[in-house]
Amino acid sequence: MTFQALGLIDPIQRTLDTLGYKQPTPVQKQAIPVVLAGRDLMAAAQTGTGKTAGFALPILQRLTMDGVTAPKAVRCLVLVPTRELAEQVYESFRTYGGNLPLRCAVAYGGVPIEPQITKLRKGLDVLVATPGRLKDLHDQGAISFTLLQTLVLDEADRMLDLGFERDLDILLAALPKKRQTLLFSATFSDEIRQLAKGMLKDPVSIQVSASNTTTKSVKQWLIPTDKRRKPELLLHLLKKLQWGQVLVFVKTRKGVETLVKTLQEHGISADSIHGDKTQPARLKALARFKQAEVQLLVATDVAARGLDIEALPQVVNFDLPTVAEDYIHRIGRTGRAGMEGEAVSLVCADEVEILKAIETLTGQVIRREEEPGFEADHRVPETGPKGVAAALAKKAAAEAPAKKKRPFTGPAGGTAAGKASGGTTASKAAARPAGGDASLGTWTPPVPTAGKGAGATRSAGGKAGTGRIYGGVGKPAAPKGAVVVTGGRGAKSLARAAGKVTAQPGGRKPKSGSR
Ligand code: AMP
């Protein structure tokens, strides 16, 4: 199937040709006709499936074909949970709408609101925003929803995780009842279904891949080791497997900075993204990584969503995340748009509970590879099928009652359970060729497609009528003609998620999180 067959207008078609998008992805095939027809949509689609174009292309078409904006008015609102995703989605709208006479802007917290209010006076066709700042803009009378025709909730599951429920309720009450609503979520919990029930009218449901599954094009494995050995192990893997650029996830902000320091001391170029950094600093670090000025980008989960990096072959979970869903989003940073990717987790004994939670969520046991010389003293308990693990635990306890007390792991050097659950022996691991593993299939670095990612082909200045609203002392000046909007809320709320606590209404009260 071609994009033309989906009924997209010529200016959009030309943009897609320029981007090198030859065929719609499955989510695009299903979503585009539904959105063009004005129907509500509930889509289970995770990042990397092309879902952004799935809603952005038909929305841009409808906005072009029908009506104009007015002062303070916004015709399409896209709500997203984090600043990074806001930037990403905004960039996509700018790119996909590059040949269209539409005004787009992005709004998230952390920068002064006044320049945003000024920019919004002219009215917008599309506003991508985090709920907190949008609510602030609305409270100040800076934005009107009277012309709103389409509302998109992107990564709705994450929005609830981050405590935006109350802000969403307030905003939804302020929106016109007659509108088109599209809800995208990587996972569909009962909470999300409840939210959908209240806001969607007779929606078409689509599911691109089974919810809560990880992208198939990403090969996943883990290396059990001790916590203190992780930096050394990472350095060892970088050398041994001759990795190119790697996105490394670390649980805490402090952990990120410590690791960056260690890497730099070993002559490896690395930069960081985490919640203590200003938005311009985060964007700069991302740009340096995208331009291959640094080999490693070390990030907390604040970066796990919304980062779209062309041809990123390698993600390393230096620490497992605090929330199991974040694992899916982290590894979704690689294996994008049909390319192959690899995600390696360095797992220590005290991460076994979250490992189990991840494996339960994804419905698969992550393959284990012992790395010779880095075997864990505090062994990481096997996480295979419960019965096998429990039986082996009992057996091991019976066989070695006098042994030093440590978490159950099963017999050393790989066990029946380990093999049954994807575990491998040290000798097998040693046989793994550089950059790949026979048991995983040969790893070939992905070749970038002719078409760049949504953001990659945009000219530096952007087109007239689009942009950001920037502000803040000491922050870089906005590009000429830029509109701003900001969020801060995302970062604050991330703190809550870091503590694996229940989402708090409103997302307003920042807790001292560590991400
Ligand atoms: P998303 O899931 O929306 O974050 O998109 C993931 C990546 O796929 C982005 O880099 C897009 O630019 C790219 N992409 C989206 N649709 C297509 C397509 N039809 N053909 C090729 N690449 C695409």
Side-chain angles (χ1 to χ4, degrees):
M1 181 186 266
T2 60
F3 279 105
Q4 225 147 15
L6 291 172
L8 292 174
I9 53 176
D10 193 51
I12 295 181
Q13 195 66 57
R14 278 189 278 120
T15 302
L16 296 175
D17 288 345
T18 312
L19 291 171
Y21 289 11
K22 299 209 165 27
Q23 281 187 335
T25 64
V27 69
Q28 291 162 6
K29 270 185 217 163
Q30 294 180 69
I32 290 172
V34 173
V35 181
L36 283 178
R39 294 282 305 271
D40 281 8
L41 177 71
M42 171 155 164
Q46 62 201 51
T47 188
T49 55
K51 69 180 162 73
T52 316
F55 62 80
L57 297 174
I59 284 175
L60 286 164
Q61 175 152 331
R62 294 191 81 216
L63 291 170
T64 306
M65 308 294 280
D66 180 25
V68 287
T69 194
K72 288 191 183 179
V74 171
R75 297 205 293 151
C76 169
L77 253 184
V78 184
L79 291 180
V80 297
T82 64
R83 306 172 192 192
E84 278 74 17
L85 186 62
E87 281 288 345
Q88 185 67 48
V89 171
Y90 165 67
E91 291 294 339
S92 297
F93 268 96
R94 279 175 63 114
T95 303
Y96 298 141
N99 290 326
L100 303 172
L102 299 172
R103 281 174 54 82
C104 305
V106 61
Y108 47 80
V111 296
I113 200 166
E114 291 75 22
Q116 305 171 6
I117 294 172
T118 308
K119 293 283 183 179
L120 282 163
R121 275 194 196 122
K122 285 184 186 164
L124 292 165
D125 294 294
V126 179
L127 177 65
V128 181
T130 51
R133 180 51 63 99
L134 181 65
K135 191 176 161 293
D136 293 344
L137 287 165
H138 185 247
D139 288 349
Q140 298 197 25
I143 188 165
S144 156
F145 297 133
T146 49
L147 292 184
L148 187 91
Q149 57 188 66
T150 306
L151 168 71
V152 182
L153 253 72
D154 195 13
E155 303 204 346
D157 51 345
R158 181 68 159 184
M159 254 185 273
L160 296 189
D161 283 352
L162 296 182
F164 283 129
E165 200 173 353
R166 212 172 105 80
D167 282 348
L168 281 179
D169 282 347
I170 295 168
L171 286 167
L172 286 173
L175 301 181
K177 296 273 166 294
K178 195 169 171 293
R179 58 161 201 262
Q180 179 182 36
T181 308
L182 318 176
L183 187 145
F184 287 79
S185 189
T187 54
F188 272 105
S189 60
D190 289 347
E191 259 181 313
I192 291 288
R193 287 180 202 284
Q194 203 55 39
L195 178 74
K197 220 168 139 187
M199 61 188 292
L200 300 175
K201 283 198 196 90
D202 186 24
V204 175
S205 287
I206 63 175
Q207 183 149 338
V208 174
S209 56
S211 58
N212 299 344
T213 58
T214 45
T215 315
K216 286 206 178 58
S217 54
V218 181
K219 287 169 184 158
Q220 303 161 59
W221 48 292
L222 69 82
I223 304 177
T225 193
D226 289 322
K227 196 181 224 154
R228 64 185 167 81
R229 311 249 5 236
K230 285 186 178 183
E232 203 189 331
L233 175 56
L234 178 62
L235 288 163
H236 166 81
L237 293 172
L238 273 167
K239 202 169 163 195
K240 178 181 166 185
L241 302 181
Q242 296 176 357
W243 282 336
Q245 284 198 288
V246 186
L247 178 59
V248 183
F249 284 103
V250 174
K251 198 150 60 182
T252 65
R253 300 169 188 184
K254 196 163 164 254
V256 166
E257 288 307 331
T258 308
L259 181 61
V260 167
K261 201 163 162 253
T262 306
L263 290 164
Q264 287 170 346
E265 280 166 6
H266 285 78
I268 290 164
S269 58
D271 207 335
S272 62
I273 294 191
H274 55 70
D276 276 347
K277 284 196 148 184
T278 61
Q279 186 61 11
R282 292 195 217 178
L283 290 174
K284 192 172 163 211
L286 180 59
R288 289 184 71 207
F289 187 61
K290 281 186 169 188
Q291 286 154 18
E293 284 172 26
V294 290
Q295 187 186 354
L296 267 73
L297 184 63
V298 187
T300 55
D301 283 293
V302 77
R305 299 209 181 198
L307 295 189
D308 184 15
I309 302 164
E310 285 284 305
L312 178 66
Q314 194 71 49
V315 165
V316 171
N317 291 311
F318 186 84
D319 299 317
L320 288 180
T322 314
V323 179
E325 280 85 358
D326 281 342
Y327 177 83
I328 296 174
H329 296 288
R330 284 178 175 195
I331 74 163
R333 301 302 104 210
T334 184
R336 313 273 285 166
M339 290 175 179
E340 284 199 327
E342 197 176 33
V344 185
S345 302
L346 315 185
V347 181
C348 63
D350 63 12
E351 291 175 305
V352 73
E353 288 309 319
I354 185 69
L355 176 61
K356 280 186 205 158
I358 289 166
E359 292 180 338
T360 305
L361 181 73
T362 59
Q364 65 188 87
V365 176
I366 303 172
R367 183 192 305 275
R368 284 185 185 219
E369 301 278 348
E370 295 277 354
E371 187 60 33
F374 290 89
E375 295 88 350
D377 284 341
H378 297 277
R379 290 186 59 84
V380 182
E382 294 291 345
T383 52
K386 259 188 185 168
V388 180
L392 279 164
K394 222 171 155 186
K395 193 166 166 249
E399 282 172 3
K403 267 196 173 172
K404 193 168 84 179
K405 241 190 174 179
R406 44 161 79 150
F408 169 68
T409 61
T415 64
K419 281 172 187 156
S421 62
T424 53
T425 59
S427 59
K428 192 171 173 192
R432 176 156 34 89
D437 172 352
S439 64
L440 296 172
T442 310
W443 166 250
T444 319
V447 180
T449 50
K452 293 281 171 196
T457 51
R458 190 172 53 82
S459 64
K463 73 196 235 346
T466 63
R468 300 173 181 79
I469 305 163
Y470 283 87
V473 183
K475 304 234 160 69
K480 210 174 164 209
V483 182
V484 172
V485 192
T486 66
R489 178 60 48 88
K492 287 174 189 169
S493 300
L494 278 164
R496 276 191 290 281
K500 204 184 175 182
V501 296
T502 322
Q504 293 197 352
R508 292 250 166 209
K509 293 195 185 84
K511 292 247 166 76
S512 53
S514 56
R515 288 205 278 190

